Amino acid sequence: MWYRDPGDASPVPVYDVHFCVVAHDDGKNSGMRRVRRRGLAHEAADHIRESIFDGRAAPGSALREVELAASLDVSRGSVREGLAILEREGLVRSEWHRGARVIELSPSDVNEVYTVRAALERLATISAAARMNAARLADLESLVQAMGRALEGDADGSTLLALDMAFHDRIYETAANGRLTDAWHGVRSQVRLFQLIRIERDQVDYRDRLVPEHHDLLRLMSRGPSEELARAAEEHVDSARRTLVHLLERDPDHPRS
Amino acid sequence: MWYRDPGDASPVPVYDVHFCVVAHDDGKNSGMRRVRRRGLAHEAADHIRESIFDGRAAPGSALREVELAASLDVSRGSVREGLAILEREGLVRSEWHRGARVIELSPSDVNEVYTVRAALERLATISAAARMNAARLADLESLVQAMGRALEGDADGSTLLALDMAFHDRIYETAANGRLTDAWHGVRSQVRLFQLIRIERDQVDYRDRLVPEHHDLLRLMSRGPSEELARAAEEHVDSARRTLVHLLERDPDHPRS
DNA sequence: GGATGTTCGAATGTTGACATTTCGACAACC
DNA sequence: GGTTGTCGAAATGTCAACATTCGAACATCC
């Protein structure tokens, strides 16, 4: 028996099953690798997260448990747990008996997030370089090439952003440090939010630097760990920080398209 | 009306009120600063955390929600939320429909935790140095002096550890970067667990290095940010890592006293 | 008029009951 | 003998109802 009525558009059991294909295996892996079940809390978190990135949930707006529970068709408990997940990611702030709100982004937040990110990326890049091999290198290289193709094809911002994030995710994956990945996930969603703003309001700079900077990182990583690589990783993040602070100070309110 | 029966030993309302005295104000602040209410989830998390540090909950042992709910006299929901808090701190691992367990500590975990900690501490120390002032310096100095007194008085390990942790907490506080503090809290409890092991099984080395290393950090911080300071902070953490890996590889099982 | 106390509604915090999944033991089969 | 299938207990995931808190509008008092 299921919790939800099967009369829904998609008559799947509520305890949803997620088939996660390992996206970047060596080509020898013929199909699915592991099956993960996550529960409604993660499902709810995904929906809410998406609505924040979409702009449907504006920064500062309240995320009421009953509303969300009704709109997502799950109980308040699951919504509550989902909101806790988003709070861990820094997308949401909640206070005692005052509910949860979408975070608001100020220049000082940019500094906080990107300063921490620089420290993490420094470690991740060096750790990844120490564990680099041909397959991983080729994988990263294909991502950079995809960036190039996307730029020539005049792809929209979200495509570029997805490739950008994927590149860095792979680095953390290669670093193979669970605690480091956890720390990254603590700022990742915020970084994505900021990069979204950056792409919206700075069409030129981002597109000019996307391929060269990532290509440089890749080249340095292929030569193993070095202080030069660490510096490059920090600078890659810090230049993004400077750009964002500049953008936000010029025009604090962000009119979404 | 209260949820709990007032017949308890401490007849306080369940929605407990916590008076947080700012512990290290400049002496001019006469008393309490802010009142925080946290809810039962945090309360439950505190209890469980303590039982992990005490050794009552051994590494790898299951933390059953019903048991904890009964023993803490709260509902399963609150225990559940508390366990989620501890999972955020890395003290607990939980899997879908398989419950939560106290983490087990292997040498590879030491490497993960202390590598990340080194990266965070590097940033925190430099940020703190940039915001250092006389009052904060004096505060840190008094902590180092307290360490010295504790050593001469042959204090037990937990006292030394508390001072050690307090020293580093103050650094993060001085850095005044919320995201950095969050990341630190993601490994802090694990660091504390490891340091507990270190103190238990290495009475000499830790006590010898406690004061000199912290004094060095303090001296360098007082001169403002520098690459030398960054290196010292990293090395301070990395030497702890090396010691712990050594200890754990010699004697993987830790017989608690 | 302005500050203070009160009341009320809307939201969250908490709880216990129910549905689902997991994992072991045991039996049946090849 | 080893593998496979079934059953059941024990645990977690989920839900809906209740208790508590917060904030603001209103009335009251100086």
Side-chain angles (χ1 to χ4, degrees):
Chain A
M1 199 190 195
W2 299 337
Y3 278 129
R4 257 194 282 204
D5 191 81
D8 276 4
S10 59
V12 291
V14 183
Y15 283 16
D16 214 348
V17 179
H18 294 260
F19 299 91
C20 293
V21 179
V22 175
H24 49 92
D25 53 8
D26 304 1
K28 293 180 288 188
N29 193 331
S30 65
M32 322 210 182
R33 193 99 121 240
R34 67 182 188 215
V35 185
R36 270 196 325 188
R37 288 164 220 196
R38 305 187 307 157
L40 293 185
H42 283 269
E43 209 86 6
D46 289 347
H47 279 250
I48 301 171
R49 191 187 300 110
E50 207 159 327
S51 81
I52 293 176
F53 287 140
D54 281 359
R56 279 176 312 194
S61 66
L63 297 168
R64 272 174 277 277
E65 294 181 358
V66 279
E67 266 182 32
L68 292 168
S71 100
L72 300 177
D73 194 30
V74 295
S75 83
R76 266 186 59 216
S78 300
V79 169
R80 197 177 169 69
E81 208 169 327
L83 286 173
I85 292 172
L86 295 178
E87 189 174 12
R88 213 184 320 184
E89 298 178 10
L91 279 181
V92 153
R93 288 264 161 118
S94 42
E95 280 176 291
W96 166 271
H97 262 298
R98 293 176 66 184
R101 303 184 159 277
V102 182
I103 50 156
E104 298 183 271
L105 310 155
S106 73
S108 85
D109 289 319
V110 179
N111 284 325
E112 285 198 7
V113 170
Y114 278 79
T115 310
V116 170
R117 187 192 170 192
L120 297 178
E121 206 90 19
R122 178 190 165 98
L123 170 58
T125 313
I126 287 194
S127 302
R131 298 172 43 89
M132 193 54 72
N133 62 29
R136 296 177 194 284
L137 256 178
D139 184 36
L140 285 170
E141 204 144 352
S142 76
L143 276 174
V144 177
Q145 283 172 2
M147 289 179 194
R149 280 197 304 275
L151 280 175
E152 288 184 13
D154 208 32
D156 79 348
S158 66
T159 306
L160 297 175
L161 180 49
L163 289 168
D164 191 347
M165 297 297 284
F167 184 90
H168 291 282
D169 282 339
R170 296 289 162 82
I171 290 179
Y172 283 95
E173 209 172 298
T174 306
N177 181 332
R179 272 75 175 189
L180 177 55
T181 306
D182 288 346
W184 165 232
H185 284 135
V187 294
R188 198 188 103 104
S189 291
Q190 299 173 70
V191 167
R192 182 158 165 206
L193 257 186
F194 279 126
Q195 294 284 73
L196 218 54
I197 294 176
R198 182 180 176 193
I199 290 179
E200 258 178 21
R201 299 162 68 184
D202 160 28
Q203 292 285 343
V204 184
D205 189 63
Y206 180 73
R207 287 162 182 260
D208 281 356
R209 283 149 80 168
L210 188 65
V211 168
E213 287 199 1
H214 287 99
H215 189 77
D216 272 5
L217 285 176
L218 194 50
R219 182 174 52 81
L220 287 169
M221 271 195 289
S222 70
R223 298 182 188 167
S226 68
E227 184 59 30
E228 191 186 357
L229 171 59
R231 287 272 165 77
E234 284 181 326
E235 174 56 25
H236 175 65
V237 175
D238 201 57
S239 75
R241 181 189 67 78
R242 290 194 303 269
T243 304
L244 266 166
V245 169
H246 197 67
L247 284 173
L248 256 60
E249 279 181 345
R250 284 177 78 91
D251 193 15
D253 47 343
H254 7 118
R256 317 240 2 169
S257 55
Chain B
M1 198 189 194
W2 297 339
Y3 278 130
R4 257 193 283 206
D5 192 276
D8 276 4
S10 59
V12 291
V14 182
Y15 284 17
D16 214 348
V17 180
H18 293 260
F19 299 90
C20 294
V21 180
V22 176
H24 49 91
D25 54 8
D26 305 3
K28 293 180 286 188
N29 193 331
S30 66
M32 322 209 183
R33 194 99 120 240
R34 69 182 185 214
V35 186
R36 268 198 327 187
R37 289 168 220 197
R38 304 187 308 155
L40 292 186
H42 282 268
E43 208 87 7
D46 288 346
H47 279 249
I48 301 171
R49 191 189 300 110
E50 206 159 326
S51 80
I52 293 176
F53 287 139
D54 280 358
R56 278 175 312 189
S61 65
L63 297 169
R64 273 175 276 277
E65 294 181 357
V66 278
E67 264 181 33
L68 293 168
S71 101
L72 300 178
D73 194 30
V74 296
S75 82
R76 265 187 59 217
S78 300
V79 169
R80 196 177 171 69
E81 208 169 327
L83 286 173
I85 293 172
L86 295 178
E87 189 174 13
R88 214 183 322 185
E89 297 178 10
L91 279 181
V92 154
R93 286 262 164 119
S94 45
E95 281 175 289
W96 166 271
H97 262 299
R98 293 176 66 185
R101 302 183 159 278
V102 182
I103 50 157
E104 297 182 272
L105 310 156
S106 72
S108 85
D109 289 318
V110 179
N111 284 323
E112 285 197 8
V113 169
Y114 278 79
T115 309
V116 170
R117 187 193 169 191
L120 297 179
E121 206 90 19
R122 178 190 166 98
L123 170 58
T125 313
I126 288 195
S127 302
R131 298 172 43 88
M132 192 54 72
N133 63 31
R136 297 177 194 283
L137 256 178
D139 184 35
L140 285 170
E141 205 145 353
S142 76
L143 276 174
V144 176
Q145 284 172 1
M147 289 180 196
R149 280 197 305 274
L151 280 175
E152 288 182 15
D154 208 33
D156 79 348
S158 66
T159 306
L160 298 175
L161 180 49
L163 289 169
D164 191 347
M165 297 296 286
F167 183 90
H168 291 282
D169 282 339
R170 295 289 163 81
I171 291 178
Y172 283 95
E173 209 172 297
T174 305
N177 180 331
R179 271 76 175 188
L180 177 55
T181 305
D182 287 346
W184 164 233
H185 284 137
V187 294
R188 198 189 105 104
S189 290
Q190 300 172 70
V191 166
R192 182 157 165 205
L193 258 187
F194 279 126
Q195 294 284 73
L196 218 54
I197 294 177
R198 182 181 177 191
I199 289 178
E200 258 178 21
R201 300 161 69 184
D202 160 28
Q203 292 285 343
V204 184
D205 188 63
Y206 181 72
R207 286 161 182 261
D208 281 355
R209 283 147 81 170
L210 188 64
V211 167
E213 287 199 1
H214 287 99
H215 189 76
D216 271 5
L217 284 176
L218 194 49
R219 182 175 50 81
L220 287 169
M221 270 194 291
S222 71
R223 298 181 187 167
S226 68
E227 184 59 31
E228 190 186 357
L229 170 60
R231 288 272 165 77
E234 284 182 326
E235 173 56 24
H236 175 65
V237 174
D238 201 58
S239 74
R241 181 188 67 78
R242 290 193 303 268
T243 305
L244 266 166
V245 170
H246 198 66
L247 285 172
L248 257 61
E249 280 180 345
R250 284 178 78 91
D251 193 16
D253 47 343
H254 8 119
R256 315 232 15 161
S257 54

